[in-house]
Structure formats: C-alpha cells, structure tokens
Amino acid sequence: MRRKSALAAAATAALAMALSACGGGGGTSQQQQPAQSASGNGAQPAFNASLTGVFNPSTKKGGTIKAAHSADWDSLDPADTYYGYSFNFGRLYWRTLTTYKTGPGPDGNQVVPDLAESLGTPSDDGKTWTYKIRSGLKYEDGTPITAKDVAYAVARSYDKETFPHGPSYLNELLAWPKGFKGVYKTPDMDYKSAVEATDDTTVVFHLVKPFASMDYIVQMPMTAPVPKAKDTGAKYREHVISSGPYKFETNEAGKRFALVRNDQWDASTDPNRPALPDRWEVQLNVNADDLDNQLMSGSIQLDIPGTGMQPAALGKVLPDPALKARTDNPTIQRLWFVSVIPDTKPFDNIECRKAVMWAADRVANQTAFGGPVAGGEIATNVMPPGIVGQEKFDLYQTPENKGDVNKAKQALSACGQPNGFATTMSFRSDRPREKALAEAMQQALSKVGIKLTLKGFPASSYFSDYAGNVEYVKKNGIGLATHGWGSDWPDGYGFMQAIVDSRTIRAAGNYNLSVKNAEVDKLVDQAAAELDADARAKLWVEVDKKVMEDASLLPVVWAKSLLMRGQGVTNLAYNEGQQMYDYVLLGAQ
C-alpha cells in the first residue's frame, strides 16, 4: 500500500507542477482547435486540445481502431448494460430513439433525434410521449426496423433477472400491466398499457405520472430495437443484431471481439455517425497498467473504460511534455463513493455509519484516485459540479480533511461499539484506484478500531453477482462497497435517482444497496414531479442533504480524469454527454 500511495502522491505532485508550468489546470489558452501540422499528417498535439474543439479533424474513411478494456464487458446486449463506456461504444452497433449530440463542448449535453425523426411529443400533461421513427431503417440482415421492434425491446428490458445490469427507469415510469414479468416469463401478456407501436413508425409511451425528461431516458439502450424473431434471451449478448453502422464479425467472450461495417446501414438516415473506420478490434481483460502502456506506445488507440489513466502511468506521462501534450483533463459529472450498507450489522445503527464518515481520511482517498487534478476534487456531498442546481455543503468537516478520530470514537460509543468492529469492504479488482481506495479506508478506519477485510471482484459482474447482489451482500457481510456513478443526464434525477431511491432495489444488478430512507424516497417523488425548474433544483439539494444526514453514502471525489488521445486517431473530441471521448466520431489515419 505504501508503494502505491507514494506513487500516486508523486504523480499528483508531478501533475500539479506540469499544470503550473502550462498556466493552470484548465489549460484555457490551449483549448482551441489545433492547426494542422506542416506535414499534413495530423494536428499538433496540445494539452486539453479536444475539450472545446475536434482534435485532428478528418473525413477520411478506412483503417482500423484498436481498443482495449481492463475488464470484461458487463454485457453487449443493449438491455443488459449500464456502464458509460458501453452506452458510448454501443452506438456503433445500435441506435436509440434519441442520442447525445456528437462533438465537444456543452452542446454534447443536448439530446437530438436518432432513430426518431424528432424529439418526443408529450401529451396528457406529460404522462404520454410519442415518437415517430425514420423511414428506410434496416437491420444488418436487411429486414426493416419498425416501431414494434422498439416497443418489444423496451418490454424485453423489463426483466431484471434475465438482464440484471440494465437501467430500471422505464420499469418504474411506465404503466406496466399487473402481473407483467417480462416477455419471457409472461409471453402472452399484452404490454401496450406501458409501451406500444400504433403503426410501423409510431412508438407511444404511457407513464404512471408526468415526467419531463423522457427525451433523455430514451437515449439509453433500452430503446435500441430488437427483432423478436432473432431474440435469444440471455444469449442475445453473443450476437446482437446491428441497427447501427457496424456489426459483429467475431465475439470471443471474455477475450476480444471485432466490428466491421454493416452494409445495410444507410448514412442518409443517420445524421449522428460519420462511421469512418472500416474495423474496430477490442481486447478484453487487459491489465489496466498494461493498457496505459499500450496506449502510450501506440499499440492500441483507445482506452474503452474512459475513466482516465492509472496512477502508475501518471508518473510517466506528466513529466514528459510530448506525452502530456497527448492528454485531456476534463471535469466529469461523476462521483466516486463508498456505500455504507445498513443491512449489514452494525451499520443498521446510524451512529456506526457516522463513525465511518468521521474516520475517513479524505486526502488519502483522493490520493488513491490520482490526486486533486487527475483524480478529482474532494467530495463533501453527493451531487457533483455540473449538475443543474448543485450546491456544496459539508456535514462531516474534519481537520485538514484527514479524519477526526475523537468524533469517530464518540459515534462508535453511541452505537454500542466503543472498541470498534470488523466488516468487509468490496472493490473492483481490475481497477487499481479502487484497490488503493480500499487500502486507504482500511488504514484510516483501523485508527478507530474498525477492521476491514478487503475483497476484490471483477468489474464485469461486480453489480450482478457481488456488491450489487442482495443475497451475496447479506451472506458475505459486506458493509462497505466502492462505487462510481456518472450522470445519466445532467440534472438531479439523471444523477441521483438510481443511487438513492430505495424503490429501485431488486435482487441483483443494484447500484444502490445503502440508501434506504423513506424521507429520501418522498423527496425524490416531489422533485421529479416539480415543473418549476428552480424549485425542482432546490428539492434535489434537499435530497442530497437527507442522504448525507443518513450517513449511508461516503463521497470520495467529484471526478476528474486524465485521458490520453491515441496515436493515429482522427476526430477526437471530449463529449460532455458521454463524459468521455465521443467514440462514434473517431477515425483512423
């Protein structure tokens, strides 16, 4: 642990020095679209070059992009995935009713039509939403894409036992018929009370209550069309039928897959995807530090997770002007945090949860993620900067943010554990920063007698089988679990609901097993139904405060990341909606 912490601290210091030399963390003087190099073979590299402009723009088609992922994919099935990288990359082989606007800058937070001709039309005071899909759309096999396929895909995604990873927003928002358990368990049940195709081009959603953000919901992959005749249930992940510009050529589970052009995709129906490369090759389960080394050397061009370089790489990149010039340092609408699970004793007592809040060394936790610039700003509450209406507050202030042993011990006495206790903390084993965070928590909590046993699990099944699985957490006594969460869209509902609303909890695939507070749930409902934007934003701040009072979620950092642009890649732009490079724009030189 000391060696990793020292490396992260050194890297952080190096980053601070490098940023100081270039005039600060924002790099605003260099955030302009770069000029082409004299040779014409690409743009001149510059720090933060892709945050506000497209770096190395090109319309050239052809070539291959080689990418790598430090874990396995949670699932390639659009009904069964919930990682940001998957939403971003998946747009290469699926299309949804809407999508985030491609390109750099704040415009990337806007949703625009994709499968649909236009954004949705609300009626019935926002309880009904209608979308008309474009004509001329085809799957990879040449069969037409219809509104019925979109409705079926949405109904298919309802089954969270078959598809534990996927979002549950539409499960909760739509007026599903009583007894509906999904298209496999209740195959003869009509679901048109929730979603229906009134003709080949019209999809209608029926909600249980008014909801203003439907256009953001339907950019998620639950609306990617699935032809019922080709649906193979849980095995569909092995060969998803493409509705986008690329289709699967090969798919070796847990090892690699390759995408090639879908000759049935018609560019005239798709204003959002230039589809420049001929081929995409993706390696899976590549060690995260090796992945960074391959990216630096040029043997791969894209780091799929898109959450930033690991601490070990920072010490190499930041002191080297040539390597640093290939990087971007965006602020992300993301929180890294620790769930404090009240179902695991003694965390059923709020004072024991508060002991964790007081004992945590925030600086050590920040260092584990790469420090104040590469890792992020110390988070004192849930909602990060960039979310509409966000306010900063701190209910657990400690000296120099390094923990308060006395207050932690007072809380332990108040919960009947004056000598401390033992519990288990989980983390994703293929993410070095989460391992470093767990080690930092282990050291800080040991000072007050809380003994942590650390257990690492693979990211691909972390939520379905381990830290998000109700039965596993209960049987194995997991009291603390590392998590990260990025906004699904940039308002309170798009960021908060999935991680604080107890009514989203199911058997597996949970992103919240810690916040189970009826007052929080009530405030969530009030905020979601509030039509006045200013009043709605204030209600989300109240939700945030109630969660922090509950002490069931320990914020770590509001994220920043250091991303590296791959060699030989064109059209690089950081997209604020995707919160990483815009994968559908990329080309190969």
Side-chain angles (χ1 to χ4, degrees):
M1 176 187 157
R2 287 195 189 99
R3 182 172 178 272
K4 290 196 177 217
S5 296
L7 180 57
T12 300
L15 179 55
M17 293 175 62
L19 290 172
S20 176
C22 76
T28 54
S29 64
Q30 300 181 44
Q31 289 183 18
Q32 305 298 321
Q33 184 166 311
Q36 296 294 322
S37 65
S39 66
N41 292 325
Q44 188 65 37
F47 180 65
N48 279 344
S50 73
L51 295 189
T52 59
V54 177
F55 178 77
N56 203 13
S58 174
T59 58
K60 177 186 173 183
K61 293 198 171 187
T64 298
I65 289 183
K66 295 184 177 181
H69 187 355
S70 55
D72 197 359
W73 221 270
D74 58 348
S75 175
L76 294 165
D77 188 324
D80 194 31
T81 186
Y82 208 171
Y83 276 107
Y85 69 80
S86 186
F87 283 21
N88 189 1
F89 188 91
R91 296 175 302 148
L92 296 169
Y93 64 90
W94 71 51
R95 295 179 66 180
T96 47
L97 289 174
T98 63
T99 189
Y100 282 111
K101 186 175 182 179
T102 54
D107 283 353
N109 273 323
Q110 299 178 26
V111 283
V112 295
D114 188 6
L115 279 179
E117 294 178 342
S118 63
L119 298 180
T121 302
S123 57
D124 190 22
D125 295 325
K127 289 178 66 177
T128 301
W129 285 79
T130 301
Y131 294 84
K132 296 282 288 187
I133 69 171
R134 303 173 193 268
S135 60
L137 303 173
K138 295 180 180 179
Y139 292 110
E140 65 180 71
D141 61 3
T143 58
I145 297 171
T146 69
K148 187 176 181 180
D149 299 332
V150 176
Y152 176 76
V154 171
R156 175 182 185 269
S157 73
Y158 182 90
D159 183 349
K160 295 308 176 191
E161 291 183 8
T162 304
F163 307 118
H165 299 102
S168 62
Y169 291 117
L170 294 180
N171 288 36
E172 295 133 24
L173 286 170
L174 299 185
W176 298 101
K178 185 177 181 180
F180 183 68
K181 297 181 180 179
V183 299
Y184 311 123
K185 298 183 180 71
T186 50
D188 298 324
M189 185 170 287
D190 194 325
Y191 46 78
K192 66 181 180 181
S193 63
V195 58
E196 63 177 328
T198 57
D199 57 40
D200 284 349
T201 63
T202 307
V203 184
V204 182
F205 295 91
H206 304 284
L207 283 64
V208 294
K209 57 187 176 182
F211 188 71
S213 300
M214 198 66 181
D215 287 331
Y216 280 101
I217 293 274
V218 299
Q219 60 82 25
M220 299 176 122
M222 304 90 75
T223 70
V226 175
K228 184 176 181 180
K230 299 291 181 68
D231 184 14
T232 54
K235 291 186 176 182
Y236 189 67
R237 66 171 63 193
E238 298 171 10
H239 187 167
V240 177
I241 306 300
S242 172
S243 54
Y246 297 93
K247 63 182 180 180
F248 286 89
E249 179 187 62
T250 58
N251 183 13
E252 300 177 55
K255 296 180 180 179
R256 62 186 64 85
F257 63 83
L259 301 180
V260 294
R261 289 193 181 279
N262 171 14
D263 61 7
Q264 297 298 314
W265 171 78
D266 184 349
S268 69
T269 71
D270 193 341
N272 304 304
R273 296 165 178 80
L276 297 180
D278 285 337
R279 182 180 179 85
W280 294 76
E281 295 178 356
V282 179
Q283 302 176 59
L284 302 173
N285 287 311
V286 176
N287 175 273
D289 293 323
D290 291 343
L291 190 158
D292 283 345
N293 290 331
Q294 290 186 51
L295 191 59
M296 285 186 279
S297 70
S299 58
I300 62 169
Q301 287 81 48
L302 181 65
D303 169 14
I304 289 286
T307 55
M309 306 193 82
Q310 303 301 323
L314 299 180
K316 302 174 185 177
V317 172
L318 299 168
D320 185 326
L323 288 174
K324 181 173 176 287
R326 291 172 51 197
T327 63
D328 298 287
N329 188 215
T331 298
I332 307 171
Q333 299 160 15
R334 171 174 286 273
L335 173 73
W336 296 107
F337 65 96
V338 177
S339 293
V340 187
I341 300 173
D343 289 341
T344 301
K345 291 182 179 296
F347 291 130
D348 55 336
N349 188 308
I350 190 173
E351 294 296 333
C352 281
R353 301 198 298 272
K354 286 182 177 180
V356 173
M357 303 291 150
W358 291 118
D361 184 333
R362 294 171 171 177
V363 174
N365 290 351
Q366 180 191 49
T367 300
F369 273 92
V373 181
E377 177 184 354
I378 288 174
T380 57
N381 52 279
V382 182
M383 280 198 296
I387 302 298
V388 175
Q390 186 256 15
E391 291 182 14
K392 298 179 183 179
F393 60 90
D394 191 353
L395 303 184
Y396 305 96
Q397 295 183 43
T398 64
E400 299 182 331
N401 279 319
K402 294 184 177 180
D404 191 321
V405 170
N406 290 332
K407 286 188 176 180
K409 287 186 174 180
Q410 289 171 15
L412 286 172
S413 294
C415 77
Q417 301 284 341
N419 298 317
F421 54 87
T423 193
T424 297
M425 181 171 181
S426 68
F427 62 94
R428 284 174 277 201
S429 56
D430 35 37
R431 297 193 175 192
R433 289 181 293 186
E434 291 195 7
K435 183 175 187 291
L437 170 64
E439 290 170 343
M441 288 290 293
Q442 184 181 51
Q443 183 172 345
L445 268 58
S446 69
K447 296 176 182 178
V448 300
I450 300 175
K451 300 176 179 61
L452 296 186
T453 297
L454 307 184
K455 288 188 176 182
F457 304 105
S460 60
S461 51
Y462 187 71
F463 296 107
S464 60
D465 297 348
Y466 303 107
N469 185 296
V470 172
E471 193 65 23
Y472 186 90
V473 166
K474 181 179 179 180
K475 285 186 175 180
N476 291 273
I478 294 178
L480 304 177
T482 62
H483 279 307
W485 187 259
S487 66
D488 285 333
W489 61 88
D491 74 358
Y493 196 100
F495 183 80
M496 296 271 281
Q497 190 263 353
I499 59 172
V500 305
D501 188 337
S502 69
R503 294 160 298 184
T504 66
I505 295 173
R506 56 224 192 213
N510 293 288
Y511 305 93
N512 169 34
L513 281 184
S514 62
V515 185
K516 298 181 176 182
N517 186 305
E519 294 180 52
V520 171
D521 294 345
K522 183 178 179 181
L523 282 168
V524 166
D525 286 345
Q526 291 178 18
E530 176 57 61
L531 297 179
D532 181 84
D534 291 338
R536 185 167 62 249
K538 292 183 184 302
L539 280 168
W540 284 115
V541 173
E542 292 304 309
V543 173
D544 198 341
K545 289 179 179 177
K546 186 61 65 176
V547 171
M548 293 308 303
E549 289 171 2
D550 191 61
S552 50
L553 188 156
L554 172 69
V556 176
V557 291
W558 292 313
K560 294 196 75 171
S561 61
L562 192 72
L563 305 176
M564 175 166 279
R565 301 186 294 272
Q567 293 179 334
V569 177
T570 63
N571 278 6
L572 272 152
Y574 178 82
N575 182 271
E576 291 192 13
Q578 301 296 338
Q579 299 177 54
M580 58 188 74
Y581 292 135
D582 196 334
Y583 294 167
V584 301
L585 280 186
L586 298 180
Q589 285 182 339

